[in-house]
Amino acid sequence: MESWKRVFGIDSEEQFEREALAMFRRQAVDCAPYAEYLALMGCNPKRVTCIEEIPFLPIRLFKHREIYCGAEKPEVVFTSSATTGMTPSRHPMASLALYEEAFTEAFRRFYGEPAQWSLYALLPNYLQREGSSLVYMADRLIRACGSGGFYLDQHEQLIADMASDPKPKILLGVSYALWDLVERHAPKLTSTIVMETGGMKGHREELPKEAFHRILCEGFGVEAIHSEYGMAELTSQAYSKGQNRFYCPPWMRVLVRDVNDPMAISDAKGRGGLNIIDLANYYSCAFLQTEDVGIRHSDGSFEIEGRIDHSEIRGCNLLVQ
């Protein structure tokens, strides 16, 4: 059995903590940029005894360093979307089998077997570039569903195909594309979950999430908007079934940090910068300091409130240089 498979069998907090600490000690040695960052932060990995003591790697370092600790050449390198002039993040993926296990098992936990669904993907900006992990995930889930497909701007065809499909459906779309669809056609959907991912990508104005979801609910005639939370630097996804409240699969955790002190980390409820432990990041770094700010609830779920400004994080500049 592949060594990474055991992370998908986690079924208790105690097991998660054991696996996380074991992965931290391995990656603190095998992932060179992470080892450098720990040294800059004055961290001795042997003295770390709980996940709250683990230094989390600033996620922007995926733009500047090769965050990888696989023994073999990666099967693929996923990249983030980036506006003109911006450097995309690069996430070497040692095993596509690992990635497929992560997103398929997470989908099953939140929505059941893919074969029960049809998946329609409205992801124009992702389809128009190379290296999107989201497109890879959607493609494999569409195959597992056995029905659905990708659409760029063929709104009429998308609406017709969904209307003639008798199966329960998921419409997965980037935020601005769903807004365009509602604004131009306002199709009233039946037996359909609308799931947004990503943001406006500079195509539309950014709205508060509650206001944006209200526009989509009214336009599509649905009661709630689901959301997928993922990024190129992660292997796993969290899902929300409404109200912008996300839940993680068992091998993923979100913690909060003080935005003014990145080492002040808590797994209790509270507001702050979001840190993510993704144990499916087996061959890169599982401990990431994101640039999102939000709220962690006592049951481990979380909300996204916005982005932290781009003030440099201690240790990050030196490691980039």
Side-chain angles (χ1 to χ4, degrees):
M1 183 178 73
E2 294 281 0
S3 55
W4 50 261
K5 285 185 176 291
R6 65 174 182 270
V7 306
F8 300 115
I10 291 173
D11 60 6
S12 69
E13 292 295 329
E14 293 77 13
Q15 187 181 6
F16 179 88
E17 181 122 358
R18 287 197 304 273
E19 292 289 347
L21 287 171
M23 193 171 297
F24 165 69
R25 295 186 180 109
R26 176 175 62 82
Q27 292 182 342
V29 174
D30 293 346
C31 181
Y34 190 39
E36 292 176 44
Y37 180 72
L38 295 175
L40 288 169
M41 298 298 288
C43 172
N44 182 345
K46 295 179 180 179
R47 295 181 179 175
V48 171
T49 60
C50 64
I51 59 176
E52 292 80 12
E53 295 175 355
I54 294 174
F56 285 67
L57 187 74
I59 204 164
R60 74 182 60 180
L61 289 172
F62 279 79
K63 297 176 182 290
H64 305 287
R65 299 292 299 273
E66 188 85 346
I67 311 299
Y68 188 63
C69 56
E72 307 294 335
K73 181 181 178 181
E75 292 190 23
V76 68
V77 177
F78 289 129
T79 58
S80 67
S81 55
T83 56
T84 303
M86 300 292 289
T87 302
S89 293
R90 301 176 75 259
H91 188 181
M93 187 64 60
S95 169
L96 285 170
L98 185 162
Y99 183 47
E100 293 181 18
E101 181 86 6
F103 65 67
T104 304
E105 182 59 24
F107 185 92
R108 285 195 185 105
R109 287 176 178 272
F110 289 102
Y111 296 100
E113 287 297 326
Q116 299 172 0
W117 297 91
S118 295
L119 179 63
Y120 293 84
L122 188 59
L123 306 169
N125 59 312
Y126 291 94
L127 284 172
Q128 292 166 324
R129 67 176 183 83
E130 297 291 328
S132 168
S133 57
L134 178 62
V135 168
Y136 186 93
M137 178 182 78
D139 176 68
R140 293 307 189 272
L141 287 176
I142 288 169
R143 296 185 192 187
C145 291
S147 49
F150 286 100
Y151 296 79
L152 284 170
D153 54 3
Q154 313 101 313
H155 289 173
E156 291 85 357
Q157 188 64 52
L158 169 63
I159 294 167
D161 290 347
M162 293 182 66
S164 64
D165 187 344
K167 290 174 67 177
K169 295 166 280 290
I170 295 175
L171 173 59
L172 172 66
V174 66
S175 300
Y176 80 85
L178 292 175
W179 195 351
D180 287 347
L181 179 62
V182 158
E183 193 171 71
R184 296 173 187 175
H185 303 279
K188 296 301 184 280
L189 304 178
T190 58
S191 302
T192 301
I193 288 172
V194 178
M195 182 185 296
E196 58 108 354
T197 185
M200 297 304 171
K201 309 296 183 185
H203 293 267
R204 304 288 298 253
E205 64 178 303
E206 294 286 350
L207 291 180
K209 191 67 71 174
E210 183 178 351
F212 175 59
H213 282 190
R214 189 161 54 246
I215 291 171
L216 295 186
C217 283
E218 292 173 358
F220 288 124
V222 297
E223 293 185 359
I225 302 300
H226 293 218
S227 301
E228 181 261 354
Y229 179 83
M231 58 188 74
E233 301 89 346
L234 295 175
T235 304
S236 302
Q237 303 79 33
Y239 287 97
S240 165
K241 295 188 176 183
Q243 287 77 52
N244 191 37
R245 189 154 173 172
F246 292 88
Y247 292 83
C248 297
W251 57 89
M252 180 182 179
R253 290 288 186 280
V254 169
L255 294 82
V256 292
R257 69 181 185 275
D258 186 325
V259 293
N260 297 311
D261 181 3
M263 293 305 294
I265 299 167
S266 173
D267 65 351
K269 65 179 181 180
R271 181 182 184 277
L274 299 183
N275 286 1
I276 295 178
I277 301 176
D278 182 6
L279 297 184
N281 271 21
Y282 195 85
Y283 296 107
S284 53
C285 181
F287 310 94
L288 300 183
Q289 186 184 133
T290 78
E291 295 176 348
D292 291 325
V293 64
I295 299 171
R296 186 187 192 278
H297 296 280
S298 56
D299 63 355
S301 64
F302 64 99
E303 297 177 45
I304 304 294
E305 292 187 324
R307 303 280 285 178
I308 298 172
D309 65 31
H310 283 72
S311 56
E312 291 297 336
I313 298 166
R314 185 163 58 102
C316 186
N317 270 343
L318 290 174
L319 195 54
V320 169
Q321 295 167 2

